[in-house]
Amino acid sequence: MISGEKRLGVAPSTVDDCLPAPAWAYMLRCADGSLYSGWTSDLARRLKAHNGGAHGARYTRSHGGGTLAYAQRFDTKSQAMHREAELKRLPKAEKEALAARWLAGSRVTLRPAGPDDAPAVNRLYCWYVQHSTATFQYGCPTVEETRADICSVWQHAPYLVAESADGRLMGYACAHPWHTREAFAWDVETTVYCSPDAVAQGVGRRLYTALLTVLKAQGYYNAIALVARPNPASAAFHRALGFARVGCEPRTGYKFGRWLDLDTWVLPLCPKTDAPAPVVLTPPAEVLADALHQANRD
């Protein structure tokens, strides 16, 4: 995961209703400036492999890995492979022009989520349900459940989305009460998910930074993230943002035929130890606007 969540419903849905297209054609910008073309059924995993994973391409290993320069989803493997072949045949100037257009369309803006974002949020979350141990959920929630969750979150915390220039959802972040009993009122569980074509692009960091800024202003004392293990990328992500791993529940989740540990990461938002003031349940409008403005400048 990048972070744990445990609030969405588990009503079953069909795979076709939940999943993004299952195959991708893509280009990577290698460290030396060259472009590498490929196809994959799991863009996030493939990018990780190209950047030091066990099964990266020989070309990207020898040219210093790479960052995503272009990606296109397809309904079938054969379509993605056909597009990969087209990309490989393109002259360098046309590849560069394609990458420039893709980059312009992929510029990300953070904004508050609303009920109308539910279908896109649902599709993204369901991709993780079906393909990842980032969530321990087996069945996809309905769009209506996701819409209700967005509305519920705003009663006590921000719900933020990252949107590309051409209207695609690139990620979302939110926070839920850590527990319902009164003594836990100053603790929140944070969640962030990024679209597979937004990994390694800084989207998750921007979302999380804005979210944490607002949560701190509301008066929350602790941000808590649940991270399935193994997930070294998520562990590194949380560590870089100041979270500390404070505990592990071994063999606590079973998914995709294996047992998984669950790590708890905590970020203190307030250093005070005296009696806290009540949390401001409505995210302060000025703080929210400032946090989003800063995120959109980065």
Side-chain angles (χ1 to χ4, degrees):
M1 53 179 82
I2 281 200
S3 178
E5 52 48 75
K6 55 193 177 188
R7 313 291 192 242
L8 290 174
V10 295
S13 182
T14 67
V15 170
D16 288 341
D17 288 339
C18 294
L19 296 182
W24 300 78
Y26 65 92
M27 292 193 300
L28 294 185
R29 175 78 63 187
C30 295
D32 64 356
S34 62
L35 289 168
Y36 169 86
S37 302
W39 83 273
T40 181
S41 58
D42 189 333
L43 187 59
R45 184 175 300 173
R46 192 62 182 148
L47 289 176
K48 180 180 177 182
H50 282 305
N51 287 280
H55 303 291
R58 182 181 302 174
Y59 184 92
T60 53
R61 287 200 303 270
S62 63
H63 289 71
T67 58
L68 196 63
Y70 165 83
Q72 185 176 356
R73 285 199 296 251
F74 292 93
D75 292 331
T76 66
K77 170 183 171 180
S78 61
Q79 290 173 332
M81 294 177 70
H82 178 73
R83 181 55 172 159
E84 176 200 21
E86 290 181 337
L87 293 172
K88 290 181 180 295
R89 290 194 298 267
L90 287 178
K92 188 175 189 305
E94 292 187 30
K95 289 182 181 180
E96 292 290 352
L98 181 62
R101 290 194 300 270
W102 182 86
L103 180 62
S106 297
R107 287 198 175 93
V108 172
T109 299
L110 270 59
R111 61 170 176 80
D116 290 344
D117 293 304
V121 170
N122 182 269
R123 285 192 297 271
L124 175 54
Y125 177 70
C126 286
W127 186 91
Y128 282 92
V129 170
Q130 296 287 343
H131 292 286
S132 173
T133 58
T135 171
F136 283 2
Q137 192 163 329
Y138 283 16
C140 290
T142 66
V143 172
E144 286 306 314
E145 287 174 319
T146 302
R147 182 176 289 111
D149 187 64
I150 292 172
C151 295
S152 175
V153 166
W154 278 111
Q155 296 177 21
H156 51 257
Y159 202 122
L160 308 178
V161 294
E163 189 175 61
S164 68
D166 56 3
R168 290 174 293 124
L169 179 69
M170 307 304 285
Y172 69 90
C174 59
H176 294 88
W178 175 237
H179 289 297
T180 58
R181 292 184 177 176
E182 295 86 345
F184 294 106
W186 295 269
D187 305 319
V188 283
E189 181 187 351
T190 54
T191 296
V192 58
Y193 286 103
C194 290
S195 174
D197 57 341
V199 296
Q201 307 298 306
V203 174
R205 177 181 288 273
R206 288 171 61 188
L207 282 165
Y208 234 31
T209 299
L211 176 71
L212 293 169
T213 297
V214 181
L215 292 173
K216 182 176 181 179
Q218 289 181 255
Y220 286 108
Y221 269 53
N222 296 293
I224 303 167
L226 298 177
V227 179
R229 189 167 61 167
N231 192 337
S234 184
F237 173 85
H238 282 90
R239 188 178 294 110
L241 286 170
F243 284 76
R245 178 175 169 268
V246 298
C248 174
E249 299 175 36
R251 289 170 51 88
T252 196
Y254 185 82
K255 191 175 183 182
F256 300 145
R258 59 173 175 155
W259 284 101
L260 300 156
D261 298 344
L262 188 64
D263 287 342
T264 300
W265 293 74
V266 177
L267 174 66
L269 298 174
C270 179
K272 298 178 182 178
T273 58
D274 53 355
V279 169
V280 178
L281 293 180
T282 301
E286 290 186 5
V287 175
L288 177 62
D290 287 345
L292 292 174
H293 177 71
Q294 183 60 48
N296 290 327
R297 291 177 55 191
D298 294 341

